[in-house]
Amino acid sequence: MEEYLMPKQSKVKKFFRPLSVKVLCVILAAFVAAVSILSFKLYENHNKTVEANTTISETNDALKQINEELEGLKGELEKIKNEKATLEGELKTSKSEKEKLEKKIKELEKKLSKYEKKETSEKKSEKLSNETKKYPSIKVPIKNNGKKVCYLTFDDGPSKNTLKIIDILDAYGIKATFFVTCTGKTEYIKNIQKSGNAIGLHTASHNYSKIYKSEKAYFADLNSVSAAVEKYAGIKSTIIRFPGGSSNSISKNYSKNLMKKLAKSVEKKGYDYFDWNVDSGDASKARPTASYIMSRMKSAVGSQDKICVLMHDSAAKTGTVDALPQMIEWLVSKGYRFEVLTNESPTFHHGIS
Ligand SMILES: [Zn+2]
């Protein structure tokens, strides 16, 4: 056994014999060094891994925080959207309420305007009745059966003055004749008729260049005012007054000898035309005063028994309204009674040259 082992031991010895202990030490040292370096490298890598893991973890935390914030913002966005929808709904409601209110305001404004109109007309009639109380200063009804007759005539209306004139005539219990147009308050034709005053035709437009262009043009305009009288008064008037009178020279500018032709043709058609023999002068100025009108009228009356007085009830002639009561009273003092013009009345023609 020993013999058997021996040779083996000697084989190992033999194997290590050539290597010195020093060389072994060097190899060992090199091995230790290699292991140390490897360990250090491993340690270093481990540290780096730990460090990287820490960074990832931190990044994950940050990401988580961002996500949370994002969730929060989404929630706020949702809230804002809801609020917007609510506000839009409220806006729609406000709009419809605004429309309702505007409609109501318009209705109220209409009512107010109606009320104001009513109030104004009531005030006017009150004022008028107060004015009417100032006259007459003579005894009415006027009792006069003498031969002197006065036909008071008013041209170019109706206007707001027509109603005042009717009131004055009523206060004296007398009647006049209105040669109407359609240039102002045409509907007051009804008031003239109701008050028992007479209505004559004076053309619808009172436009010289239009009515005196030809016979045809004149009658077309006359028919128009005649239709208005039928509409508002329910009568067909057969008395007329030519604008400017039958002796007017203006018509010559538009058609020669027209007035002569018209004077004949109106009578053929069943009309009677009336000029005047007393001019109140209220058309000679834009706004004549009452005293001017009185003075003009007095001198025009003279000693005539039958007088047809020309006056105007157009809107600008407030002086005519002011003059009327004293004019009536002066004429009464001179022995005149008052009549309306009819187809049976005396003729008042200027004579056409
Ligand atoms: Zn006239």
Side-chain angles (χ1 to χ4, degrees), residues 36-239:
S36 297
I37 288 163
L38 196 65
S39 298
F40 177 75
K41 285 281 176 194
L42 279 171
Y43 177 72
E44 206 177 39
N45 280 345
H46 171 74
N47 278 351
K48 277 184 182 171
T49 307
V50 168
E51 211 173 293
N53 280 343
T54 311
T55 311
I56 287 166
S57 166
E58 280 174 358
T59 309
N60 279 341
D61 285 348
L63 209 60
K64 202 180 168 188
Q65 206 178 331
I66 286 166
N67 276 337
E68 278 171 5
E69 280 174 10
L70 202 64
E71 281 305 313
L73 285 171
K74 274 184 187 173
E76 277 179 19
L77 190 69
E78 201 61 35
K79 260 190 199 174
I80 288 167
K81 275 185 185 174
N82 288 341
E83 277 175 14
K84 191 191 162 199
T86 314
L87 284 172
E88 279 174 348
E90 280 175 7
L91 192 68
K92 270 186 190 171
T93 317
S94 302
K95 270 185 187 172
S96 77
E97 275 177 11
K98 193 189 161 197
E99 278 169 13
K100 271 185 197 170
L101 283 171
E102 281 176 344
K103 208 177 166 187
K104 210 168 183 180
I105 286 169
K106 273 187 185 172
E107 279 172 13
L108 284 171
E109 279 175 346
K110 261 189 185 176
K111 276 186 186 172
L112 189 69
S113 144
K114 270 187 190 172
Y115 174 76
E116 280 173 347
K117 273 184 189 170
K118 203 182 167 190
E119 199 186 33
T120 315
S121 76
E122 275 171 4
K123 272 184 185 170
K124 268 186 187 173
S125 64
E126 196 183 318
K127 200 184 163 195
L128 204 62
S129 67
N130 285 339
E131 281 173 2
T132 313
K133 280 174 192 166
K134 289 179 201 163
Y135 48 79
S137 64
I138 57 168
K139 203 178 171 190
V140 289
I142 301 156
K143 285 180 182 171
N144 185 347
N145 295 316
K147 59 172 184 177
K148 285 181 156 184
V149 185
C150 173
Y151 301 90
L152 295 174
T153 66
F154 297 92
D155 293 6
D156 299 2
S159 77
K160 57 181 182 179
N161 287 334
T162 309
L163 302 183
K164 294 178 186 176
I165 289 168
I166 289 171
D167 275 1
I168 294 167
L169 297 171
D170 281 350
Y172 287 96
I174 62 172
K175 307 291 177 201
T177 305
F178 292 80
F179 289 101
V180 299
T181 67
C182 300
T183 57
K185 300 276 187 186
T186 312
E187 67 272 20
Y188 289 167
I189 288 173
K190 194 163 59 186
N191 300 63
I192 300 170
Q193 170 70 1
K194 270 189 182 175
S195 58
N197 289 286
I199 300 170
L201 311 176
H202 193 42
T203 70
S205 70
H206 205 286
N207 182 339
Y208 289 92
S209 64
K210 188 182 164 191
I211 60 173
Y212 292 144
K213 206 169 147 188
S214 65
E215 274 192 78
K216 197 182 167 189
Y218 172 80
F219 281 107
D221 203 279
L222 191 73
N223 288 341
S224 182
V225 71
S226 179
V229 170
E230 275 196 82
K231 180 186 170 188
Y232 290 109
I235 58 155
K236 199 163 169 57
S237 176
T238 50
I239 57 168

Side-chain angles (χ1 to χ4, degrees), residues 247-343:
S247 59
N248 81 80
S249 54
I250 308 163
S251 64
K252 287 174 185 163
N253 297 332
Y254 311 106
S255 180
K256 280 181 184 174
N257 297 321
L258 183 70
M259 294 319 296
K260 273 187 183 174
K261 288 182 208 164
L262 283 181
K264 281 181 187 169
S265 52
V266 292
E267 286 181 346
K268 266 187 197 169
K269 286 178 189 281
Y271 293 107
D272 282 310
Y273 75 89
F274 292 89
D275 292 319
W276 55 89
N277 59 1
V278 173
D279 184 355
S280 71
D282 68 347
S284 59
K285 287 183 178 183
R287 291 181 183 274
T289 61
S291 59
Y292 173 82
I293 294 167
M294 278 304 292
S295 149
R296 281 283 302 258
M297 188 221 38
K298 281 178 183 176
S299 62
V301 168
S303 58
Q304 302 176 96
D305 283 343
K306 290 181 172 48
I307 56 171
C308 186
V309 183
L310 171 71
M311 286 179 281
H312 296 84
D313 61 328
S314 41
K317 307 299 176 188
T318 52
T320 308
V321 179
D322 295 340
L324 189 57
Q326 42 186 315
M327 189 186 270
I328 293 166
E329 294 190 12
W330 184 83
L331 288 164
V332 169
S333 76
K334 294 291 167 192
Y336 289 96
R337 58 189 168 87
F338 300 90
E339 298 285 344
V340 295
L341 289 169
T342 68
N343 297 96

